[in-house]
Amino acid sequence: MPAAMNTVAELVAAVDTLAPLGKAASWDPVGLQLGDPHAPVRRVGVCHEVTQGVVDGSAELDAVVTYHPLLFRPTIRIVAGPSPAGRALALIEHRTALVVVHTALDVAPGGTADALADALGISDPAPFGPLPAGDAVKVVTFVPAEHAEDVRAALAQAGAGQIGAYRACS
């Protein structure tokens, strides 16, 4: 059980013990998405998605922990309204912090994937794909046909092309 949470930062640390944020997919905006890490926390709400109803009920909360990120793509305008940016503005106006778990909870022991397997009666579940390993880049290049195998082998030697149990995928 996580320790007492007196601040938003301590709430994020407690979430991290249950769903390690560093294990989330590199493209996923997990962790503190809105708010002041030093703000006090007394009342926390939990939701799957930050809907307008969640925002409306958040005025009395210090923080909301959500599965799905509210802001997924870079946001260039924070304007009142029904959009995700508008809901973000309302949370900011309420001084309600937002903490996202998404793919960190998916891969956590006892997390989303394990809960679904359990609900389906799957015994002894095992991952079938790679766990996120941090940032990766896609490399596209053109080489003379006679050197294609040498380049593929060099990339595989450097760790590229690993998908689950498969190696040297290209």
Side-chain angles (χ1 to χ4, degrees):
M1 186 61 119
M5 300 163 289
N6 297 313
T7 66
V8 170
E10 290 171 348
L11 171 62
V12 173
V15 166
D16 189 51
T17 65
L18 300 172
L21 300 172
K23 300 239 183 214
S26 62
W27 47 262
D28 197 13
V30 298
L32 182 61
Q33 193 166 61
L34 298 172
D36 176 357
H38 304 292
V41 170
R42 293 171 304 283
R43 296 188 64 192
V44 178
V46 177
C47 66
H48 181 78
E49 188 96 25
V50 182
T51 63
Q52 189 59 50
V54 169
V55 172
D56 293 344
S58 72
E60 301 300 318
L61 300 175
D62 301 308
V64 171
V65 177
T66 181
Y67 175 75
H68 279 137
L70 174 59
L71 302 174
F72 194 75
R73 291 180 176 81
T75 303
I76 59 171
R77 288 180 185 80
I78 303 290
V79 178
S83 69
R87 293 193 298 274
L89 176 62
L91 290 172
I92 292 167
E93 289 174 340
H94 294 160
R95 298 199 55 81
T96 303
L98 183 65
V99 181
V100 178
V101 295
H102 204 217
T103 57
L105 185 60
D106 290 344
V107 299
T112 311
D114 286 348
L116 181 58
D118 186 53
L120 294 171
I122 297 171
S123 60
D124 197 27
F128 62 87
L131 291 176
D135 290 334
V137 296
K138 181 177 182 177
V139 176
V140 177
T141 188
F142 297 91
V143 298
E146 64 270 16
H147 297 293
E149 179 56 28
D150 292 337
V151 171
R152 188 207 55 78
L155 289 167
Q157 180 68 32
Q162 296 182 12
I163 302 173
Y166 296 98
R167 301 290 180 258
C169 298
S170 61

